[in-house]
């Protein structure tokens, strides 16, 4: 099922897409979090409501499919890590670009998923404008796969991890690279390089796990219609099962938490030496998950 949160008259509602792409209201659920926490029984009721098509919504405005109760983003694509670090010269952190194959990667990256926690209040949906932070000259997109937990737990084994997954969506982890490179030099972060209104874009909908082959999804980024990047979710060094196992060690996770895959190889301007400008349209597409589309806006004054 493809689940959405849509807006009418300033109020958010939960819905699902029918086979023609029309939004059918799921009025039993106040929020997507309610549906997720309801477990398999709630999902079954949502499926029946979708089949009955009791209320089809005309021209709804799509919001982010959910407001996660927690957000974490991992770094699981080796090509992204190598190519991003190869371009440190763009920020005066190296004299020239280096060969990505020679970039040093600590052993810990191969041994366990590494991640950071994000600002869950800065979530936006498809079709929204995302403003460049003040003074930023290297504004960037990041093409990622997002996963949402349907069931919590602690010390979850890798063998059981996918039983805890509710669904998947596209994730654009917009980044202010000037700010990011300044702060990570201290050895902490990222922080303001990621934390700004609208910087975490989810959508366009949330696809239930039963419909997604998470190990083989084509991932594409287009800027103003031009393809900048193409990769595959199968290139993740650590899968979501490993991410769930690692993060749940000694820590209780909850239904409705969000996890990002990290950027697919080549899936951001930093790797390509190209950045965004006001007026650009960013389209991220992942097979079976739709197209996430946002326009870059000038800095707020």
């Amino acid at each position: 099922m493809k689940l959405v949160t849509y807006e009418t008259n300033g109020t958010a509602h939960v819905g699902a897409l029918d086979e023609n792409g029309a939004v059918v209201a799921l009025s039993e659920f106040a929020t997507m979090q309610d549906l997720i926490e309801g477990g398999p029984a709630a999902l079954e009721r949502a499926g029946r409501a979708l089949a009955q098509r009791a209320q089809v919504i005309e021209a709804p405005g799509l919001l982010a499919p959910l407001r996660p109760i927690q957000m974490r983003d991992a770094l699981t694509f080796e090509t992204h890590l190598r190519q991003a670090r190869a371009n440190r010269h763009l920020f005066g952190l190296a004299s020239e670009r280096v060969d990505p194959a020679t970039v040093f990667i600590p052993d810990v990256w191969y041994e366990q998923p590494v991640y950071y926690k994000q600002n869950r209040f800065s979530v936006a949906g498809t079709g929204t404008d995302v403003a460049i932070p003040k003074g930023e000259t290297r504004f960037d997109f990041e093409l990622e796969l997002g996963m949402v937990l349907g069931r919590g737990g602690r010390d979850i084994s890798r063998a059981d991890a996918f039983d805890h997954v509710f669904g998947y969506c596209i994730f654009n982890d917009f980044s202010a690279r000037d700010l990011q490179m300044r702060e990570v030099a201290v050895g902490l972060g990222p922080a303001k390089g990621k934390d700004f209104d609208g910087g975490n874009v989810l959508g366009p909908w949330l696809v239930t796990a039963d419909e997604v082959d998470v190990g083989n999804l084509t991932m594409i980024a287009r800027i103003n219609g031009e393809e900048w990047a193409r990769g595959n979710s199968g290139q993740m060094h650590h899968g979501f099962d490993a991410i769930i196992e690692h993060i749940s060690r000694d820590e209780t996770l909850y239904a409705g938490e969000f996890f990002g895959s990290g950027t697919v190889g080549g899936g951001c301007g930093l790797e390509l030496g190209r950045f965004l400008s006001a007026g650009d349209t960013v389209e991220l597409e992942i097979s079976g998950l739709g197209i996430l589309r946002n326009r870059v806006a000038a800095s707020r004054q």
Side-chain angles (χ1 to χ4, degrees), residues 200-238:
N200 296 321
V201 183
L202 311 180
W205 35 73
L206 181 60
V207 183
T208 52
D210 60 302
E211 296 188 3
V212 181
D213 177 6
V214 70
N216 185 28
L217 300 174
T218 300
M219 306 172 67
I220 304 170
R222 302 182 187 90
I223 311 300
N224 302 324
E226 177 190 354
E227 183 174 312
W228 280 24
R230 179 180 292 258
N232 190 283
S233 62
Q235 297 164 341
M236 293 173 67
H237 183 77
H238 300 286

Side-chain angles (χ1 to χ4, degrees), residues 56-68:
V56 178
I57 308 302
E58 297 294 332
L62 294 185
L63 305 174
L66 80 160
R67 294 281 176 175

Side-chain angles (χ1 to χ4, degrees), residues 2 37 47 52 55 118 136 161 165 175 209 258 288:
K2 294 180 174 66
E37 290 181 351
Q52 294 167 0
Q55 184 182 5
Q118 299 168 290
E136 181 62 41
V165 175
S175 298
F258 173 88

Side-chain angles (χ1 to χ4, degrees), residues 4 6 14-18 21-25 55-58 60 62:
V4 300
Y6 65 93
V14 180
L17 297 185
D18 68 11
V23 173
V24 176
Q55 184 182 5
V56 178
I57 308 302
E58 297 294 332
L62 294 185

Side-chain angles (χ1 to χ4, degrees), residues 251-263:
E251 180 179 357
T252 301
L253 304 182
Y254 297 89
E257 293 199 42
F258 173 88
F259 298 80
S261 67
T263 305

Side-chain angles (χ1 to χ4, degrees), residues 235-280:
Q235 297 164 341
M236 293 173 67
H237 183 77
H238 300 286
F240 282 114
D241 52 347
I243 292 171
I244 292 171
E245 179 183 62
H246 175 65
I247 296 178
S248 70
R249 189 184 68 196
D250 302 311
E251 180 179 357
T252 301
L253 304 182
Y254 297 89
E257 293 199 42
F258 173 88
F259 298 80
S261 67
T263 305
V264 70
C268 69
L270 174 58
E271 296 177 66
L272 308 172
R274 307 173 70 180
F275 297 98
L276 301 174
S277 301
D280 285 345

